[in-house]
Amino acid sequence: MSLYEEIKKGNEKISLIGLGYVGMPIAVAFARKAKVVGFDLNKEKIDLYRAGIDPTKEVGNEVIKNTTVEFTDSASRLREAKFHIVAVPTPVDDNHMPDLSPLRGASLILGKNLTEGSVVVYESTVYPGVTEEICVPILEEESGLKCGIDFKVGYSPERINPGDKVHCLETIVKIVAGMDEESLETIAKVYELVVEAGVYRAESIRVAEAAKVIENSQRDINIAFMNELSIIFGKLGIDTKAVLEAAGTKWNFLKFYPGLVGGHCIGVDPYYLTYKAEEVGYRSRIILAGRRINDDMGKYIAENIVKILIKADISVKKAKIAILGFTFKENCPDTRNTKVIDIYDELKEYGINPLVSDPVADVREARQLYNIDFKDIGDIADMDAVVIAVAHDYFKDFGKSIIDSFFNKDNEKKIFIDIKGLFNRRDFAGDDYFYWRL
């Protein structure tokens, strides 16, 4: 009987290595169809899952309470599974170089617990060649098994969009790749158990790795173009959003918008591709140019806030500023790799100590990573400037009266920085407001 059939019948288990924003939803989805062991080194996280708490808010506490996933921080339990999915982060270091230490570490742990007849699938975003050239040798060395004979490997890039309840594992076409035809079919069939949108069989692992890394690179470049346009139109005194709405009436105009580009994918993946390009002798021009633009947007926004403070005759050093929203994207509690910190840090360079409030963000995480304590929205008052930095649905419900309540009533001008253009600028076009957006 094939491994796929054994999994389907409940005779073999699937393991998930890495239970973050990507791995945990995958584990939960597979648990509806098969037996699943969910492994993570973070005991605190495992304890939360076992208690029925979803710190990622990706599937919710009720789902976690009722899932059959066997959550564990004991690596030896990986031996119970024959189909392994590795979904650990692949960040970059301070020099924008790929940091493969989480992937190497996961491969080492899995290798020590790998059994004969297993299939290992990597979901982490990497540059072409990582799975076969870096991960496989670690698995072989630690397990004493031979790839292609004792176990097989494949690659299926994650496409989960954190905070998005529409585009999720089940509804996005899944790219799958295997080291040979047999592994490809096994991997494809296993994923077809949960991916309702179907799978796409890539012709090789390297093709699948390359496909993933260019998906976010393409988005990064397009957003960089929008950010550059916003800088140009800002100097021309033209509203960027109005321009994009006009241009968007053409059928083939791509609908991207300016904004902060943070997180673990769009702001990171391009560096994996350019690293590999340089390794083979090519220096990227377009990709790195886009990265430079996007990496500088927090500084650009902060500089504009300061310019408006000066225009409003408000002392920069004494300015009271509130930043609403701190996560790397809307409706997601994750603050790691947020670019809002760039606005915060740049304002501090001017002697300003902004208040930060985010009803969606992971409060403990923000304190640990950035030493920032959030204020409650209800405590935001008497401000000289208010910055809506993240497009949370929570903020979209604010009426003008709520926005008004945040400001110092004695100021002649209220400075409202609506980075993503959540609000109608005409509502703030009166003599009492300075309204600015990208």
Side-chain angles (χ1 to χ4, degrees):
M1 191 179 296
S2 69
L3 177 56
Y4 163 72
E5 291 293 338
E6 294 281 12
I7 289 171
K8 197 175 176 182
K9 289 180 179 294
N11 298 329
E12 293 290 356
K13 294 180 180 179
I14 296 171
S15 87
L16 251 295
I17 297 103
L19 296 174
Y21 287 80
V22 172
M24 185 274 293
I26 295 172
V28 169
F30 271 114
R32 298 187 184 108
K33 302 285 185 177
K35 293 179 180 178
V36 177
V37 174
F39 169 77
D40 199 287
L41 284 172
N42 188 330
K43 186 179 185 304
E44 185 180 358
K45 184 189 295 181
I46 293 298
D47 288 342
L48 286 173
Y49 288 145
R50 284 173 172 168
I53 298 169
D54 175 14
T56 71
K57 300 181 182 177
E58 283 299 301
V59 300
N61 293 348
E62 201 60 33
V63 172
I64 292 295
K65 284 176 187 173
N66 294 306
T67 185
T68 59
V69 176
E70 300 169 53
F71 295 112
T72 183
D73 60 341
S74 174
S76 62
R77 294 212 52 199
L78 295 174
R79 296 172 192 167
E80 300 172 19
K82 276 288 196 290
F83 191 96
H84 304 277
I85 298 172
V86 180
V88 295
T90 42
V92 291
D93 62 20
D94 292 340
N95 297 313
H96 302 309
M97 301 291 282
D99 177 7
L100 295 175
S101 56
L103 197 62
R104 292 176 187 273
S107 298
L108 189 146
I109 290 170
L110 177 56
K112 291 180 184 296
N113 296 282
L114 197 62
T115 58
E116 196 169 340
S118 293
V119 173
V120 180
V121 182
Y122 287 89
E123 290 220 2
S124 306
T125 303
V126 294
Y127 55 79
V130 167
T131 300
E132 292 158 300
E133 296 165 16
I134 293 178
C135 299
V136 165
I138 295 173
L139 292 175
E140 288 183 325
E141 183 177 352
E142 296 301 323
S143 67
L145 302 175
K146 187 69 178 172
C147 186
I149 299 173
D150 302 314
F151 69 93
K152 299 286 181 78
V153 296
Y155 184 77
S156 181
E158 57 88 6
R159 282 176 161 176
I160 287 174
N161 188 23
D164 188 337
K165 304 307 178 188
V166 176
H167 301 99
C168 51
L169 176 68
E170 294 88 347
T171 60
I172 306 170
V173 172
K174 197 86 167 74
I175 295 174
V176 294
M179 64 181 297
D180 54 25
E181 284 299 319
E182 181 186 34
S183 58
L184 174 62
E185 283 309 303
T186 298
I187 294 165
K189 285 180 179 177
V190 170
Y191 274 103
E192 282 173 340
L193 286 172
V194 294
V195 182
E196 297 165 11
V199 302
Y200 175 86
R201 291 165 170 78
E203 65 177 50
S204 70
I205 289 174
R206 287 170 65 88
V207 165
E209 290 170 326
K212 170 56 183 175
V213 83
I214 70 164
E215 288 176 11
N216 286 320
S217 297
Q218 182 190 64
R219 286 188 59 77
D220 192 46
I221 291 166
N222 277 289
I223 296 170
F225 176 47
M226 296 297 113
N227 279 332
E228 188 166 59
L229 290 179
S230 74
I231 295 170
I232 295 169
F233 293 143
K235 291 182 179 296
L236 294 173
I238 302 171
D239 183 64
T240 306
K241 189 173 183 180
V243 174
L244 295 178
E245 286 173 351
T249 59
K250 191 181 181 189
W251 77 93
N252 60 352
F253 186 82
L254 301 179
K255 294 190 176 182
F256 287 90
Y257 302 93
L260 296 168
V261 183
H264 323 293
C265 298
I266 301 178
V268 172
D269 297 356
Y271 288 121
Y272 273 73
L273 185 55
T274 57
Y275 169 85
K276 189 62 179 179
E278 288 198 22
E279 203 175 63
V280 295
Y282 180 78
R283 173 75 177 174
S284 164
R285 287 171 284 185
I286 292 176
I287 300 170
L288 286 178
R291 278 282 74 236
R292 282 192 294 272
I293 291 170
N294 287 341
D295 276 345
D296 287 343
M297 290 309 290
K299 184 174 185 290
Y300 170 74
I301 291 166
E303 287 172 349
N304 275 276
I305 294 170
V306 170
K307 288 176 183 177
I308 298 170
L309 285 170
I310 294 169
K311 192 181 294 185
D313 289 325
I314 295 172
S315 171
V316 173
K317 282 191 176 182
K318 294 179 181 178
K320 296 178 68 177
I321 297 178
I323 298 174
L324 308 187
F326 192 76
T327 60
F328 87 87
K329 67 172 294 185
E330 64 274 8
N331 307 319
C332 174
D334 197 350
T335 65
R336 295 171 300 163
N337 296 340
T338 178
K339 300 303 284 184
V340 181
I341 191 64
D342 293 349
I343 302 173
Y344 180 88
D345 287 342
E346 190 67 20
L347 289 174
K348 287 183 77 70
E349 289 290 318
Y350 286 94
I352 301 167
N353 288 300
L355 301 180
V356 181
S357 182
D358 192 323
V360 176
D362 185 325
V363 175
R364 291 179 62 197
E365 182 180 78
R367 187 180 296 119
Q368 289 171 356
L369 295 177
Y370 308 103
N371 196 28
I372 293 176
D373 288 309
F374 293 159
K375 299 291 183 183
D376 290 330
I377 286 286
D379 294 333
I380 304 299
D382 297 321
M383 295 292 114
D384 297 309
V386 173
V387 183
I388 302 278
V390 184
H392 291 319
D393 288 344
Y394 181 91
F395 299 145
K396 292 177 183 178
D397 292 334
F398 286 177
K400 187 171 182 293
S401 60
I402 292 178
I403 301 295
D404 287 341
S405 70
F406 297 142
F407 290 95
N408 184 338
K409 302 296 187 293
D410 295 330
N411 285 4
E412 287 186 23
K413 289 280 191 178
K414 303 178 184 72
I415 299 171
F416 185 35
I417 310 298
D418 181 16
I419 292 176
K420 294 292 288 182
L422 292 190
F423 298 88
N424 188 335
R425 67 190 174 100
R426 292 184 180 86
D427 292 340
F428 303 91
D431 292 336
D432 58 336
Y433 265 96
F434 274 119
Y435 176 87
W436 186 92
R437 67 188 180 196
L438 286 176

